[in-house]
Amino acid sequence: MDYHVVEGVTDQKMENLQTLLERIELLRNKMTKVALRKGFTSAESISLSQELDRLLNIYDSHKQLGSQKKQKAGNE
C-alpha cells in the first residue's frame, strides 16, 4: 500500500491515531461509570485505569514521535 505522507505522518498512522483516541474515550467513559458504581479503588476500576494509562502512553509516544519528525524536517 502506498500512503500519502503529510509532515511525516501517513494516512494509515492518522487513522490509527484516530482509532486509538476513540478507544481512549470509550475506556475513559467505562472507567468513570465503573468507578462511580463500584468505587474508585475497586479492582475493576484500577484495571481499567491501568489500561487507560497504557493507551494514553501509546498516544503520547506517537505524538512525540510526530513532533520530533516535524522538528527534524524543519531543521533540514
Side-chain angles (χ1 to χ4, degrees):
M1 276 183 182
D2 186 27
Y3 295 107
H4 179 67
V5 177
V6 178
E7 298 183 72
V9 178
T10 64
D11 290 340
Q12 182 65 36
K13 187 176 253 186
M14 289 299 291
E15 185 176 313
N16 289 343
L17 284 176
Q18 184 60 37
T19 300
L20 182 58
L21 284 172
E22 290 168 6
R23 289 178 59 199
I24 287 169
E25 189 61 31
L26 289 172
L27 191 58
R28 181 181 288 132
N29 290 333
K30 182 177 181 179
M31 183 189 70
T32 300
K33 289 176 185 175
V34 168
L36 292 172
R37 190 175 71 244
K38 295 185 177 183
F40 289 90
T41 58
S42 71
E44 188 175 0
S45 294
I46 291 169
S47 177
L48 291 168
S49 177
Q50 290 170 338
E51 177 64 10
L52 181 59
D53 286 345
R54 187 182 73 80
L55 294 179
L56 288 168
N57 287 336
I58 291 169
Y59 178 76
D60 188 51
S61 294
H62 282 288
K63 293 298 282 185
Q64 285 181 9
L65 183 60
S67 178
Q68 290 172 357
K69 285 183 180 180
K70 283 173 82 172
Q71 286 178 348
K72 186 178 179 183
N75 291 333
E76 292 178 350

